[in-house]
Amino acid sequence: MEPFIQSDQFNYIKYQTEMPIKAYSTVNDINVLNAQKSLSQERVFNLFHQLNGEQRELLKPIAAIRERENIMLPH
């Protein structure tokens, strides 16, 4: 796969992954948590004009993040 994420997009994606994590630590309502996860994922998808299937699959796990340890970022 060719690189398709620019540095500003990467930083925005990092920010969006923090939103569900914060929600899990402050909210008890499962509907609110699911809404936050969906919103974060949709915002990330909207960063890109066109995503192919492979790119979309790469970004899809954002909705499954519950803890900081689940985020796999380059060191």
Side-chain angles (χ1 to χ4, degrees), residues 23-44:
Y24 272 104
S25 65
T26 59
V27 176
N28 290 325
D29 187 340
I30 191 68
N31 294 321
V32 173
L33 294 171
N34 288 336
Q36 180 60 58
K37 291 190 309 183
S38 295
L39 184 59
S40 291
Q41 186 174 50
E42 192 62 32
R43 287 176 177 164
V44 169

Side-chain angles (χ1 to χ4, degrees), residues 14-62:
K14 274 180 35 177
Y15 173 75
Q16 286 304 315
T17 59
E18 290 289 328
M19 302 309 285
I21 293 169
K22 289 178 184 174
Y24 272 104
S25 65
T26 59
V27 176
N28 290 325
D29 187 340
I30 191 68
N31 294 321
V32 173
L33 294 171
N34 288 336
Q36 180 60 58
K37 291 190 309 183
S38 295
L39 184 59
S40 291
Q41 186 174 50
E42 192 62 32
R43 287 176 177 164
V44 169
F45 286 164
N46 287 335
L47 278 175
F48 304 95
H49 297 289
Q50 286 187 317
L51 286 173
N52 64 34
E54 189 178 17
Q55 293 166 336
R56 186 172 281 278
E57 287 300 313
L58 180 70
L59 296 171
K60 212 174 190 179
I62 290 170

